[in-house]
């Protein structure tokens, strides 16, 4: 591993550590997402406050946290396996942010952003899988888990050289959802629509 690769991994983690949900919530004078709703600092939880524009900004910034370092690493000629480390570092920064007492989110949007440089065909398949899973089962967490499981398979048929890299990233996302998996198993995970009913928009 070269010094450039190590630098990109560190840069990805530090960039991922900038919590978009917390900063945007402060800008909009919304409740801290770490203590509001589900307690997850992500776009979905910010959306529960009823401020759609704030949630959109959080989603876009979280995606960019994954896209920018991976795309830059690709431009610099870093190999697919080390690009996976860069993507994982960005997600780990989002999950355990250095600047926000290591209280972060699930990293789904950041992981999606990290996969964007692989092409819009893959991105479209991932989004379609998530939406179909959400429509069928009603659980945002389950939709994310199903999408993470299918991601390496999609990559295998589109850009097989990145299969291992995406599989590692998917494992990280699944591990981060361990509490959701436990709640789903015990039938204690509330559906997404039920959560929105509890938090009516302004």
């Amino acid at each position: 591993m070269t010094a450039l690769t190590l630098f990109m991994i560190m840069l990805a983690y530090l960039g991922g550590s900038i919590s978009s949900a917390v900063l945007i919530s402060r800008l909009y004078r919304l409740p801290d997402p770490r203590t509001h709703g589900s307690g997850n600092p992500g776009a979905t939880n910010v959306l529960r406050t009823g401020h759609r524009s704030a949630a959109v900004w959080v989603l876009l910034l979280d995606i960019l946290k994954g896209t920018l370092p991976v795309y830059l690493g690709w431009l610099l000629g870093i190999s697919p396996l080390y690009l996976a480390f860069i993507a994982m570092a960005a997600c780990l920064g989002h999950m355990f942010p250095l600047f926000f007492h290591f209280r972060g989110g699930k990293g789904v949007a950041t992981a999606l952003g990290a996969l964007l440089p692989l092409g819009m065909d893959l991105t479209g398949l991932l989004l379609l899988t998530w939406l179909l899973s959400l429509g069928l089962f009603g659980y945002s967490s389950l939709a994310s888990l199903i999408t993470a499981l299918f991601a390496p398979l999609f990559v295998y048929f589109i850009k097989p050289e990145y299969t291992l890299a995406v599989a590692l990233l998917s494992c990280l996302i699944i591990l981060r959802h361990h509490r959701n998996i436990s709640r789903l198993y015990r039938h204690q995970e509330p559906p997404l629509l039920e959560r929105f009913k509890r938090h009516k928009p302004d």
Side-chain angles (χ1 to χ4, degrees):
M1 185 181 295
T2 65
L4 176 61
T5 302
L6 285 172
F7 173 77
M8 288 303 303
I9 290 173
M10 292 175 58
L11 186 65
Y13 173 76
L14 293 175
S17 291
I18 301 173
S19 181
S20 308
V22 174
L23 293 177
I24 293 296
S25 294
R26 289 176 183 175
L27 182 64
Y28 278 76
R29 297 182 180 178
L30 301 175
D32 190 326
R34 294 170 296 181
T35 58
H36 169 79
S38 66
N40 180 56
T44 302
N45 201 28
V46 173
L47 183 60
R48 294 189 183 104
T49 64
H51 289 262
R52 295 181 181 179
S53 61
V56 169
W57 276 112
V58 172
L59 178 63
L60 290 175
L61 291 172
D62 282 350
I63 289 174
L64 282 174
K65 289 194 299 186
T67 302
L68 292 178
V70 172
Y71 185 65
L72 181 57
W74 177 77
L75 287 176
L76 293 171
I78 294 175
S79 68
L81 179 60
Y82 291 143
L83 285 178
F85 293 162
I86 293 172
M88 292 174 70
C91 291
L92 285 170
H94 179 84
M95 296 172 181
F96 307 102
L98 177 66
F99 309 124
F100 294 87
H101 309 290
F102 301 101
R103 295 177 60 189
K106 301 293 174 60
V108 175
T110 303
L112 175 63
L115 296 178
L116 275 176
L118 296 186
M120 294 307 296
D121 47 357
L122 174 63
T123 303
L125 282 172
L126 293 173
L127 288 175
L128 181 62
T129 303
W130 190 88
L131 290 171
L132 284 175
S133 301
L134 181 64
L136 286 172
F137 304 109
Y139 297 96
S140 176
S141 57
L142 182 57
S144 298
L145 287 166
I146 292 172
T147 304
L149 287 171
F150 274 96
L153 180 64
F154 294 153
V155 173
Y156 177 77
F157 288 106
I158 296 173
K159 290 191 176 180
E161 66 271 23
Y162 289 95
T163 302
L164 177 59
V166 174
L168 291 172
L169 187 58
S170 293
C171 288
L172 179 61
I173 297 299
I174 292 170
L175 287 173
R176 183 58 173 166
H177 280 77
H178 66 279
R179 292 181 181 176
N180 301 90
I181 294 171
S182 178
R183 288 195 296 267
L184 286 165
Y185 179 76
R186 298 196 303 266
H187 303 286
Q188 296 175 349
E189 181 86 341
L192 182 63
L193 291 179
E194 181 181 330
R195 290 179 175 180
F196 278 110
K197 289 177 183 177
R198 295 175 185 174
H199 299 87
K200 296 180 180 179
D202 294 342

